[in-house]
Each structure stands twice: as C-alpha cells, then as structure tokens.
C-alpha cells in the first residue's frame, strides 16, 4: 500500500470534470493547496493542506464510491509527497489563484467531435449567457479548440458554470470550458473560423501575409489531416447523388458552407421542392414579397397565390434541400401580425398558368452566384437586417427614412467592405425586421437596387 501523503491521486477523470468539481469533492475534508489536471491520462493530483486531511479523504471514500458528474472516480494516495512543479509535457496544469481567476475570455476544448463545430454553432451555444464579442477557433494536437470573449466577466462565469461538461449534440461534441489567461482577443477576419461581433466590417479573407495572432501551435487555422471527414452529419455529396447530376455543383456549395455536413434539424433527404405557406395576410402579401423572403433560402422557380384560399400560397424552390431550409427556418415566423405556417406541399411543382408568377430566370435569385456564402447565412428571421449594394454616397439618415415605416429602428451601422457601402439595421422586433426585408428588398435608392438579408449578429 502506498505510504500516506498530502497528495491524492484521482483516476478516471473525464473531460467533463472540471477542477472545481474535484475541489468540491474533497474540500469538506480540508483546504486544497495545489491541483494538477493530467488531461491526457484522465487523472488528477490534489495536494491537501496536511496529511491528516488527505487520510480523511481516503478513509471516507474507501466505503463510499465517489462520483463526479455521473462518472465514478477512484482515489488513492499519490507516490508524490509534495507537488512542486508543472508537468513538463504540458499534460498537467498547476492550479493557483492567479491561473484560475475568472476571466471574460474562455478557452473551450471540444471532445468527441463528430459534427463540425463552426463559429456560428459556438455563438448559438454561448450567446444565451451574455453578449459574445469575439470567437476564434483553431486546431491543436488535442483536437478542436476555441477562444470566446464575452463583454463581461460575469457572463463568462455564467457560461462556464452552465456549459462545462455539456454536449453540444446528443452524445458527442463535449465542452471542456476553462478560463483563459488572455486579456483581449485580436480578430482580423470575419469568416467561418473567427468572428468579431463588435466589428462586422472586417474582411472575410486575408490579402498577403496574415497578421492574425497565432493562438495555436502550427498556426491559428490548422488544417485537418488529409482525408479526414467529420462524422455524424450525412455527407452532402452522398445525399445529392440520387438527384440529377446538374445539382452536384449545388451540393458542393452546401458542403463548403456547412463544413461537409448539415446543421441540426436539417435531414438533407427531402425531395419535395414546393412548400405551402398559410395564415398570410391577403391584403398585404403578394408574390414579390414572398419571393423576397423565401429567396433567402434558395432560388425561386414559381409562386402562386391560391385564389380560393386567399391566405394560402405555393412556393416552388430550386430543389428539395432549399425547400427544407425554408420550412425549417420560416415555420412560425411572424409577418404582418400573423404567424406563418410553412409545410411541404403535396404538389411536386407549380404548373405554369396565367395566375402563376415566374421567377426561374430572375436575376434577383440569390443563389446563382456565391451559393456557399448564401447557404452559410441562412437563419431564422432576426431583429437585424443586412443591406448591400447601397449607393456610395448614401447616409444613415436616408436608410432610416427608407425603412422606418416598418417599425422602430433601434440602431444603425453604415460601413464599407472592399470599397462598397453596406449597412446593418436593428429593429425593435424580429417581425418588424421581417416586414422591412419583405417590402424593401430589391427596391431602389438613388438608382441602386438594394439587397437585404437577415444578419446573425445579436447586436450592433
């Protein structure tokens, strides 16, 4: 039997178990002066204030099986009499008051990675706990990691408390959330790997040599090994193999947008191109307004308002995947004080007729160019809309004047990307923003046809 020691050795410490969990387990027996997490070995070392406290821990858990976050852990005396140094291979971390002090920046490691985790996914997971300012993702030998900067330390503490050890998806993508020792994240590009939500005007791609800080060994954007594919999501190419070969270019765009897989709630197996929209306001809706909304999720072929049911309409999308996106993101959305119902139609297509509006060849269809980018920005209606192709000399006052009839505008931001004027407009409600998009997309300001989409930003 190992000689009694102030140092306790804990085995079977899974990635869901945090330092604080172990502290809470043994603190009833005395003060913990040092703690080392050996993550690579699923082990930990805790040094008590004296040998007597450590003996009390061992004696108690000899008769009681210790369990942390539903996992049985095993405790014994360590062969070390004193913890004095950090693990030289970086497998352990000495715990001191300075290192564990709460910080507004979190270091997040993602274990059991089956689904691709993007900046957007992380933002959805962490933003309910406070305003997220910046996210940077990167690869290390241990797996996928991210740095997430909140506006306040309190928000970061709340997020860590709520999310440590939790799975993003059922049975996988487990979060190990620790406080970072960084004071500020530097983000130079807004793309699928990094995002500064306080500065939406950042470019998406680098020009020349990157000045992005190197947060991970081997570079910030470590490439996956050749041939590596994320599991869990159906592979998009396989899903589209049964469709006409002309859609394979579309499938490649989807794969580029979603990292080789599909987002939660989207099966990718739907083949029905036509959706039925009901509970519309027949006095305020028309085919062009429906086009403006549904074209966010794919190209529109035809739209038909049902004359025998004035609050119903049929919308034929470019393919079944685009129809599924529209149903997924628009079901239950508010428009003109009515909650829309969006479902797949029993009609495979809309027959050409005098009362059917044709959009097959419309240059306003958004997915004829930059399809991957448009897929990436698909989301449910939000309070913030993004305006592009604006006149170069436009002012915020002119934009507000153009949109204010549709609701209360809370905030605006006018900026340039590659020399072209763009704007973010935040309304008081999602319904107001949806109405503005529906009514003002493809309208003209000073001979410029503006384009409007929903923004995934939480604030501007």
């Amino acid at each position: 039997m190992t000689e009694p020691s102030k140092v306790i050795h804990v085995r079977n410490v899974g990635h869901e178990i945090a330092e604080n969990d172990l502290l809470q387990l043994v603190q009833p027996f005395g003060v913990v002066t040092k703690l080392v997490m050996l993550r690579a070995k699923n082990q930990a070392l805790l040094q008590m204030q004296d040998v007597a406290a450590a003996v009390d821990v061992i004696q108690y858990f000899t008769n009681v099986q210790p369990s942390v976050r539903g996992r049985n852990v095993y405790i014994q005396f360590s062969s070390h009499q004193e913890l004095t140094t950090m693990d030289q291979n970086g497998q352990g971390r000495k715990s001191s008051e300075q290192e564990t002090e709460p910080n507004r920046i979190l270091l997040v490691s993602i274990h059991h990675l089956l689904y691709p985790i993007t900046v957007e996914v992380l933002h959805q997971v962490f933003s309910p706990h406070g305003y997220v300012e910046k996210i940077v993702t990167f690869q290390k030998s241990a797996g996928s990691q991210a740095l997430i900067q909140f506006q306040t330390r309190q928000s970061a503490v709340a997020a860590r408390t709520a999310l440590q050890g939790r799975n993003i998806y059922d049975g996988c993508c487990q979060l190990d959330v620790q406080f970072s020792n960084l004071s500020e994240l530097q983000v130079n590009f807004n793309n699928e790997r990094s995002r500064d939500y306080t500065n939406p005007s950042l470019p998406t791609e680098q020009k020349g040599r990157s000045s992005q800080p190197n947060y991970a060994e081997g570079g910030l954007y470590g490439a996956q090994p050749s041939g590596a594919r994320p599991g869990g999501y159906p592979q998009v190419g396989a899903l589209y193999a049964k469709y006409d070969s002309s859609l394979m270019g579309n499938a490649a765009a989807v794969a580029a947008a979603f990292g080789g897989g599909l987002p939660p709630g989207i099966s990718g197996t739907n083949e029905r191109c036509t959706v039925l929209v009901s509970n519309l306001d027949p006095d305020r809706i028309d085919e062009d307004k429906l086009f403006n909304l549904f074209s966010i999720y794919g190209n529109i072929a035809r739209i038909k308002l049902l004359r025998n049911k004035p609050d119903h309409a049929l919308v034929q999308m470019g393919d079944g995947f685009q129809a599924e996106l529209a149903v997924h993101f628009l079901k239950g959305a508010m428009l003109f004080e009515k909650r829309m119902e969006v479902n797949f139609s029993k009609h495979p297509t809309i027959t050409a007729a005098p009362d059917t509006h044709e959009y097959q060849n419309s240059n306003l269809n958004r997915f004829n160019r930059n399809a991957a980018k448009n897929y990436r920005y698909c989301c449910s209606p939000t309070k913030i809309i993004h305006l592009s192709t604006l006149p170069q000399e436009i002012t915020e006052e002119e934009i507000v004047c153009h949109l204010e009839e549709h609701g209360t505008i809370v905030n605006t931001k006018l900026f340039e990307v590659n020399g072209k004027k763009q704007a973010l407009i935040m309304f008081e409600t999602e319904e107001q923003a949806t109405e503005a998009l529906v009514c003002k997309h493809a309208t003209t300001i000073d001979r410029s046809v503006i384009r409007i989409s929903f923004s995934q930003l939480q604030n501007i």
Side-chain angles (χ1 to χ4, degrees):
M1 182 176 176
T2 305
E3 181 181 352
S5 163
K6 290 190 296 184
V7 182
I8 296 170
H9 179 210
V10 187
R11 294 181 290 113
N12 200 34
V13 179
H15 288 289
E16 74 274 21
I17 298 175
E19 295 172 359
N20 285 342
D21 296 323
L22 296 178
L23 291 174
Q24 291 175 19
L25 181 68
V26 302
Q27 276 178 343
F29 305 97
V31 176
V32 178
T33 58
K34 295 177 183 177
L35 187 154
V36 175
M37 300 293 285
L38 304 174
R39 287 296 187 189
K41 298 180 180 180
N42 283 348
Q43 298 176 16
L45 297 171
L46 295 86
Q47 180 173 308
M48 305 300 292
Q49 192 170 31
D50 51 46
V51 174
V55 169
D56 288 342
V57 173
I58 298 299
Q59 287 181 342
Y60 180 81
F61 287 118
T62 299
N63 301 314
V64 177
Q65 173 61 57
S67 178
V68 182
R69 291 188 178 270
R71 176 191 287 262
N72 288 341
V73 297
Y74 305 95
I75 298 178
Q76 64 189 36
F77 288 117
S78 170
S79 58
H80 299 282
Q81 293 296 313
E82 185 90 14
L83 293 181
T84 56
T85 60
M86 294 176 61
D87 183 271
Q88 294 302 309
N89 296 320
Q91 294 179 340
R93 182 174 60 241
K94 184 177 174 181
S95 177
S96 68
E97 288 299 317
Q98 182 180 4
E99 289 172 328
T100 59
E101 183 180 354
N103 181 13
R104 69 185 183 126
I105 300 177
L106 298 176
L107 172 62
V108 181
S109 301
I110 305 164
H111 305 288
H112 312 304
L113 187 69
L114 297 182
Y115 299 176
I117 302 301
T118 63
V119 164
E120 287 78 8
V121 170
L122 290 171
H123 190 265
Q124 290 179 32
V125 170
F126 282 84
S127 62
H129 304 285
Y131 178 57
V132 174
E133 292 185 335
K134 301 173 183 179
I135 298 178
V136 174
T137 63
F138 51 92
Q139 290 287 127
K140 292 192 73 174
S141 58
S144 293
Q145 293 187 306
L147 289 163
I148 300 176
Q149 178 175 313
F150 281 89
Q151 190 174 47
T152 66
R153 185 174 63 177
Q154 290 81 359
S155 296
V157 171
R160 183 180 187 274
T161 301
L163 298 175
Q164 169 59 24
R166 299 286 296 276
N167 292 336
I168 296 179
Y169 302 116
D170 189 21
C172 65
C173 299
Q174 187 180 79
L175 297 173
D176 180 12
V177 186
Q178 306 297 332
F179 293 112
S180 168
N181 59 5
L182 297 175
S183 59
E184 182 75 25
L185 292 185
Q186 180 183 341
V187 176
N188 294 335
F189 309 109
N190 282 339
N191 53 35
E192 69 275 8
R193 298 169 302 236
S194 64
R195 188 69 54 84
D196 184 346
Y197 294 94
T198 68
N199 187 5
S201 61
L202 286 177
T204 59
E205 301 294 338
Q206 67 183 36
K207 293 183 178 180
R209 186 176 178 86
S210 171
S211 59
Q212 185 83 355
N214 185 4
Y215 287 118
E217 291 183 13
L220 176 63
Y221 306 139
Q224 290 185 338
S226 176
R229 290 188 178 185
Y233 288 149
Q235 292 302 308
V236 178
L239 292 174
Y240 278 89
K242 61 180 177 295
Y243 291 135
D244 185 84
S245 60
S246 63
L247 293 176
M248 291 309 294
N250 198 17
V254 176
F258 294 123
L262 303 177
I266 303 295
S267 72
T269 59
N270 172 64
E271 298 182 27
R272 292 171 289 179
C273 299
T274 305
V275 298
L276 175 66
V277 191
S278 59
N279 202 34
L280 298 167
D281 185 339
D283 296 326
R284 303 179 68 183
I285 199 68
D286 59 34
E287 292 87 350
D288 287 346
K289 290 176 181 175
L290 284 173
F291 172 89
N292 291 344
L293 181 59
F294 279 80
S295 64
I296 292 175
Y297 308 101
N299 286 338
I300 307 299
R302 296 187 177 107
I303 296 179
K304 180 178 182 178
L305 296 177
L306 304 185
R307 304 305 173 190
N308 58 335
K309 294 181 179 179
D311 66 337
H312 285 56
L314 291 172
V315 179
Q316 182 180 332
M317 308 290 293
D319 58 51
F321 178 75
Q322 295 177 353
E324 187 176 13
L325 288 175
V327 171
H328 178 76
F329 287 118
L330 288 179
K331 183 183 284 290
M334 294 294 295
L335 178 61
F336 300 132
E337 301 177 4
K338 288 183 172 289
R339 190 172 297 280
M340 289 191 303
E341 189 59 42
V342 185
N343 295 292
F344 296 108
S345 171
K346 62 181 180 181
H347 302 285
T349 59
I350 301 174
T351 304
D355 59 348
T356 298
H357 280 231
E358 297 282 343
Y359 295 95
Q360 189 82 52
N361 299 316
S362 173
N363 60 5
L364 293 174
N365 269 319
R366 304 174 192 243
F367 288 74
N368 292 328
R369 295 179 299 173
N370 297 323
K373 179 179 178 181
N374 285 310
Y375 279 123
R376 189 161 59 245
Y377 293 146
C378 287
C379 65
S380 298
T382 66
K383 296 179 183 179
I384 302 175
I385 56 175
H386 175 251
L387 282 66
S388 58
T389 63
L390 292 168
Q392 197 61 28
E393 303 303 321
I394 198 168
T395 64
E396 288 190 15
E397 291 73 18
E398 290 174 306
I399 296 174
V400 169
C401 183
H402 192 68
L403 299 173
E404 62 185 353
E405 65 179 290
H406 302 293
T408 303
I409 295 177
V410 176
N411 201 2
T412 64
K413 183 178 180 67
L414 186 61
F415 57 95
E416 282 192 16
V417 176
N418 297 326
K420 297 179 181 179
K421 280 291 179 69
Q422 300 185 26
L424 292 168
I425 308 298
M426 183 175 183
F427 283 87
E428 197 171 50
T429 67
E430 294 170 1
E431 182 181 359
Q432 293 172 359
T434 304
E435 180 181 322
L437 182 149
V438 163
C439 295
K440 290 301 195 295
H441 174 68
T443 56
T444 302
I445 300 179
D446 193 20
R447 293 179 294 181
S448 293
V449 179
I450 63 171
R451 293 184 174 242
I452 305 178
S453 58
F454 292 115
S455 170
Q456 297 178 21
L457 296 175
Q458 301 295 308
N459 206 343
I460 58 176

